Amino acid sequence: MSNKILTPVKEFEELLPQEYKDLVNNGPHNGKGGVKKLGTFKEVTEAHPHCAGCGVALGIRLSLAALPAPEDTLVVGTPGCSFFALSQSAINYSNTAFGNQNAVASGLKRMLKLRYPDKHKDVVVMVGDGGVADIGLDYTLHSWFRGENITTVMLDNEVYGNTGGQESGMSLKGKVLNMAPKGKEFNKIPVFEIAKTSGCAYAAKITIANPVKLGKVIEKAVLIAREVGPTYVQLYTPCPTNLKFAPEKTIQAAKDAEKTYYSFEEFITKEAEEYLSKEAKKQETKQ
Amino acid sequence: MSNQQKSVDAGHLFFEAERQKSFITGSEAVAEAIKRANVDMAIAYPITPQSESMHLIGDLYARGYLKDYYRAENEFAVMASIHGAALGGGRVFTATSGPGTLRAMEMFPVWAGSRQPIVCAFMCRGVALPPSIQPENIEMSFLLDTGMLMFHAENAQDYFDMILKGYAIAEQPDVHLPVGVFADGFFVTHTREIVMLPPEELKLQEYDPKACPVPVFDMESPPARITRDPLLNKSNFISYAANASWHQEILAAAERARKHIKHYLGGLIETENKDAEILIVASGTAVSQSREAIKALREEGIDAGLVKVKSIRPFPEAEIREVTKDASLILVPEFNAGGWLAREVKASIDNNSRVVAGPRVFGGMTMPKDLIVSELKSALQSRSHVNASPQMSK
């Protein structure tokens, strides 16, 4: 896609809403992206209906800002909290049934490869922990086993947020939640560990407390998925509403988790590493 | 091979190209349709009696007729991946049967809601419990309100034509809806018959995603910022209205399909001896059994006509109302326990006590013509008492 598609015709320029002007003039679609540029453009509109202090909204905001080529990125999701910000972002987003996002993304990516063999069309799945680890685990794993060239981002808020705070497979053991009235009886599903042995060329576990590092992780994940294989980012996005902490404590909750059970971890195959350094060299030569 | 195939206008492929006799099974007829349909991608998951057709389509892929093909992890995944592939702007195909249809159920309204011209073949069979792999078409009743168009094939010839022509109907810009093409499993898929086929060197022109009424999900069409969904969870009148008007648009698109179905399939129904006072209304293989029953009845001096229902969605209400207006008895034999076709017919006509909803067979049992004949005779006998009462006469 040409960046010019985003540029409004002169006659309409003045009529556009300010946020669209910001997007066109300063937005990531002009190769000006990156987490550090946040606040200069609207990658997620201010009207998203997430709860105050929502970790998922922040996780989406940081992830979208870090996409290497937002002008050619298709995001696939599933109903749930993630939908609210994604459907109002400056990115092309499709939401289908529950849990089937990696199957949808598989078909989409393959068709885009057929239709645009000489272009990178990045397909990124961005859904909650329930969508990846529970209802969609089968489809997630099979997309990895098949080696589909897609990036899966789990927005892990450790709970079903949108339906009112039910236990998910990613909730902490012992946590009392709806549908777990005596506390959750089993551990967090080790999706990150599974990713490493299921065909992912790159996997990372990180929290929203590290915006710049997260940006790099997302960028790597999307680049590697282009040519090497599936990639997975497990992003801790705590939920103040259902995990019952004050909205201003979200970053603190993420930092606490990082110190105890959510420390940064990264897995990368040799092939993926080589690909990244080859790409970096290409960039240097260009400059 | 695909690279030697020539793209031709749909009208030429369907109506002008000279057809030759071929003695093939229904599953082979499906593959022959896909060979000529210029399909970009097919996705498969095994289930009886569908598997054979998707094996054959895998062979077509290996021979270069399709650009991509794979086996997915289950039917819900197949229908989801097919949805993704259609979002990406290409022509796609898949097929399933009975329990697979039910497993994948959530995706069919998604296809329709996304205005995707997906063609899916359904090889109908029983559903659990107790488990059955035998012919019966109860699964069709579950799909009546998913928003997809539904055609019911009587035989392998119908199956070939309805699948191939299904693409032309589905892809009309004023329709752009999924098409389900149904056949009664085994009876059609696993039996061999003469099918008239256009040359295999010809194929449909490729799908044009620019003729789609909703933007393709490929970041090539402005505006850059689109969401493919209605406004989930927004509790306000605008979101209710947006969602409801979208549903109305899907229903309206199905209505607009009628003219294309008439053009490509020659009508939503077909009739034989339609002025008879006794009519048998049937779809699928029940039509063939009804033809045999009508012959037997004629030998006994009973005159009966036939209405073959080809399009289940949109349903030919007006056509059935017109053709049955002078009938005194309407028999609807079916290969399912629920009697969905009889319900549809009853809902379409006046004075629907004329309808005898049966005979019905299921669980894989066959429908001998004698069963239709005896049901009809016993209806005639009981009607002769009923008709003596003036308020019940027509």
Side-chain angles (χ1 to χ4, degrees), chain A residues 16-278:
Chain A
L16 291 169
Q18 188 56 43
E19 67 167 36
Y20 197 85
K21 286 185 205 168
D22 288 347
L23 177 69
V24 169
N25 297 323
N26 308 311
H29 299 274
N30 293 319
K32 296 176 189 164
V35 170
K36 286 179 182 166
K37 295 270 185 163
L38 275 175
T40 61
F41 58 88
K42 298 288 184 192
E43 77 295 342
V44 175
T45 67
E46 67 265 77
H48 75 72
H50 281 281
C51 306
C54 177
V56 168
L58 180 57
I60 289 171
R61 191 161 192 237
L62 296 170
S63 301
L64 294 187
L67 293 172
E71 69 275 19
D72 274 315
T73 302
L74 292 309
V75 180
V76 178
T78 207
C81 285
S82 53
F83 168 87
F84 297 125
L86 283 165
S87 64
Q88 302 192 52
S89 67
I91 207 86
N92 211 340
Y93 173 67
S94 183
N95 181 286
T96 65
F98 266 108
N100 64 355
Q101 59 279 344
N102 284 59
V104 174
S106 301
L108 174 65
K109 178 70 190 186
R110 282 164 179 256
M111 187 58 81
L112 293 175
K113 271 192 207 172
L114 294 180
R115 292 189 56 225
Y116 303 102
D118 305 323
K119 272 189 197 179
H120 288 300
K121 294 278 177 186
D122 297 327
V123 174
V124 178
V125 164
M126 216 175 274
V127 296
D129 43 309
V132 172
D134 292 341
I135 194 170
L137 186 61
D138 185 358
Y139 313 95
T140 305
L141 292 183
H142 275 270
S143 74
W144 294 346
F145 299 151
R146 285 195 304 265
E148 305 286 352
N149 291 97
I150 56 182
T151 300
T152 305
V153 180
M154 179 203 279
L155 302 156
D156 181 12
N157 62 1
E158 301 189 323
V159 70
Y160 282 81
N162 188 39
T163 44
Q166 296 83 11
E167 169 202 279
S168 102
M170 297 302 283
S171 301
L172 283 177
K173 188 176 180 181
K175 186 83 184 167
V176 175
L177 292 158
N178 288 328
M179 298 187 182
K182 292 184 175 179
K184 192 191 177 214
E185 291 176 0
F186 61 102
N187 285 322
K188 275 175 84 76
I189 295 173
V191 183
F192 176 71
E193 281 69 30
I194 297 170
K196 292 190 277 189
T197 55
S198 303
C200 283
Y202 175 81
K205 202 165 92 175
I206 189 166
T207 82
I208 47 166
N210 281 304
V212 177
K213 199 193 263 182
L214 170 60
K216 284 185 186 148
V217 161
I218 294 284
E219 193 184 2
K220 275 192 219 175
V222 175
L223 290 176
I224 291 167
R226 280 182 184 172
E227 292 196 11
V228 190
T231 57
Y232 173 61
V233 178
Q234 185 173 311
L235 175 57
Y236 184 53
T237 57
C239 171
T241 304
N242 291 299
L243 300 182
K244 314 285 183 203
F245 58 82
E248 69 271 21
K249 302 280 188 208
T250 304
I251 302 293
Q252 193 55 52
K255 281 183 179 162
D256 292 348
E258 206 169 85
K259 277 183 209 142
T260 49
Y261 68 98
Y262 229 111
S263 58
F264 177 70
E265 283 182 64
E266 198 176 41
F267 162 82
I268 184 162
T269 62
K270 205 165 164 251
E271 199 188 352
E273 248 170 14
E274 283 166 5
Y275 172 74
L276 280 186
S277 56
K278 197 179 75 190

Side-chain angles (χ1 to χ4, degrees), chain B residues 120-156:
Chain B
C120 179
F122 295 86
M123 287 114 189
C124 302
R125 64 170 259 198
V127 291
L129 262 171
S132 164
I133 61 159
Q134 303 301 336
E136 105 174 16
N137 56 41
I138 193 70
E139 68 194 272
M140 290 180 72
S141 69
F142 304 133
L143 290 158
L144 290 172
D145 297 308
T146 54
M148 72 163 72
L149 307 183
M150 298 171 67
F151 305 145
H152 200 174
E154 178 189 350
N155 48 33

Side-chain angles (χ1 to χ4, degrees), chain A residues 79 83-84 87-88 93-96, chain B residues 109-110 113-114 226-234 238-247:
Chain A
F83 168 87
F84 297 125
S87 64
Q88 302 192 52
Y93 173 67
S94 183
N95 181 286
T96 65
Chain B
V110 172
S114 306
I226 55 160
T227 296
R228 304 282 305 211
D229 310 281
L231 310 131
L232 184 80
N233 289 14
K234 300 279 173 54
I238 291 170
S239 72
Y240 307 151
N243 202 311
S245 64
W246 188 248
H247 283 275

Side-chain angles (χ1 to χ4, degrees), chain B residues 84-236:
Chain B
L87 277 181
R91 188 177 285 150
V92 294
F93 178 75
T94 190
T96 190
S97 288
T101 303
L102 268 58
R103 177 169 293 245
M105 198 69 190
E106 192 180 357
M107 287 314 294
F108 302 126
V110 172
W111 291 357
S114 306
R115 298 293 295 274
Q116 296 178 319
I118 295 162
V119 174
C120 179
F122 295 86
M123 287 114 189
C124 302
R125 64 170 259 198
V127 291
L129 262 171
S132 164
I133 61 159
Q134 303 301 336
E136 105 174 16
N137 56 41
I138 193 70
E139 68 194 272
M140 290 180 72
S141 69
F142 304 133
L143 290 158
L144 290 172
D145 297 308
T146 54
M148 72 163 72
L149 307 183
M150 298 171 67
F151 305 145
H152 200 174
E154 178 189 350
N155 48 33
Q157 182 72 59
D158 270 0
Y159 220 19
F160 173 83
D161 285 323
M162 286 173 171
I163 289 171
L164 188 55
K165 293 174 177 177
Y167 283 104
I169 296 165
E171 290 170 10
Q172 295 294 328
D174 62 342
V175 178
H176 230 273
L177 287 177
V179 167
V181 186
F182 298 76
D184 302 330
F186 296 104
F187 295 146
V188 174
T189 55
H190 286 57
T191 54
R192 203 168 278 280
E193 57 187 287
I194 290 171
V195 180
M196 300 300 289
L197 300 176
E200 64 180 5
E201 295 78 30
L202 302 183
K203 63 177 178 182
L204 285 178
Q205 279 154 350
E206 65 179 30
Y207 172 65
D208 175 13
K210 291 197 179 66
C212 175
V214 292
V216 172
F217 196 56
D218 62 0
M219 290 301 265
E220 294 292 324
S221 330
R225 192 167 163 183
I226 55 160
T227 296
R228 304 282 305 211
D229 310 281
L231 310 131
L232 184 80
N233 289 14
K234 300 279 173 54
S235 299
N236 60 50

Side-chain angles (χ1 to χ4, degrees), chain B residues 313-336:
Chain B
R313 284 287 180 274
F315 195 71
E317 297 98 355
E319 290 89 339
I320 289 179
R321 203 158 43 238
E322 170 62 25
V323 78
T324 59
K325 66 180 191 308
D326 297 324
S328 62
L329 185 65
I330 301 158
L331 195 81
V332 187
E334 291 184 65
F335 275 102
N336 66 78

